[in-house]
Amino acid sequence: MSELTRIPAPDGVAPAAQYSHVVLGRGRFVAISGQVPLDEDGRLVGEGDPGAQARQVFENLRRCLAAAGATFDDVVKLTYFVTDLAAMPALRAARAEHIPDDRLPAASAVRVAGLVRPEFLMEVEAFAVLAG
């Protein structure tokens, strides 16, 4: 695990409620492509269900991080792409199952007109830093 410094509210910047404004670390950079709500066989999980889709997305992120020798503790940035901002509570709940509030990464949320398949409600990418 890398040593990361999280700065939730730099001087002069409004405090962040659900993310850290700045996360810094030293080590190997890991980029995880946007993960969608497909299971290991490529089947959609949770059609029309933001909670089920979010849980699958975070499980896919966990598996991708593990393949790189990383965990959610190493994540410095998450980017959420959602077709409806109403899915954000489900994403936050799924994130909370993997990342405690005192280890929140930097984050961005982007509402998009659509994703690669119309039944996808969300996609999440991650960046991590591993120790040296």
Side-chain angles (χ1 to χ4, degrees):
M1 178 168 65
S2 61
E3 285 193 33
L4 302 176
T5 301
R6 290 169 175 79
I7 305 170
D11 290 342
V13 177
Q18 296 291 327
Y19 58 93
S20 296
H21 277 291
V22 179
V23 180
L24 44 118
R26 183 178 303 230
R28 292 183 303 128
F29 181 75
V30 178
I32 306 295
S33 292
Q35 296 299 302
V36 294
L38 295 177
D39 68 12
E40 59 196 24
D41 296 318
R43 293 183 301 245
L44 175 68
V45 172
E47 184 162 359
D49 180 348
Q53 288 198 16
R55 287 187 298 278
Q56 184 63 48
V57 164
F58 270 85
E59 176 58 18
N60 292 347
L61 287 168
R62 186 195 65 74
R63 289 176 179 176
C64 290
L65 288 163
T71 70
F72 280 103
D73 284 340
D74 302 306
V75 172
V76 296
K77 175 79 164 54
L78 292 171
T79 305
Y80 305 96
F81 301 95
V82 295
T83 58
D84 185 342
L85 292 174
M88 289 306 299
L91 279 164
R92 287 186 194 109
R95 183 202 62 210
E97 293 175 16
H98 297 277
I99 304 172
D101 285 348
D102 66 340
R103 301 197 56 81
L104 292 175
S108 298
V110 181
R111 186 175 57 82
V112 296
L115 293 163
V116 69
R117 286 178 39 186
E119 62 271 27
F120 294 164
L121 304 176
M122 63 197 60
E123 181 173 333
V124 181
E125 67 182 18
F127 299 99
V129 176
L130 294 175

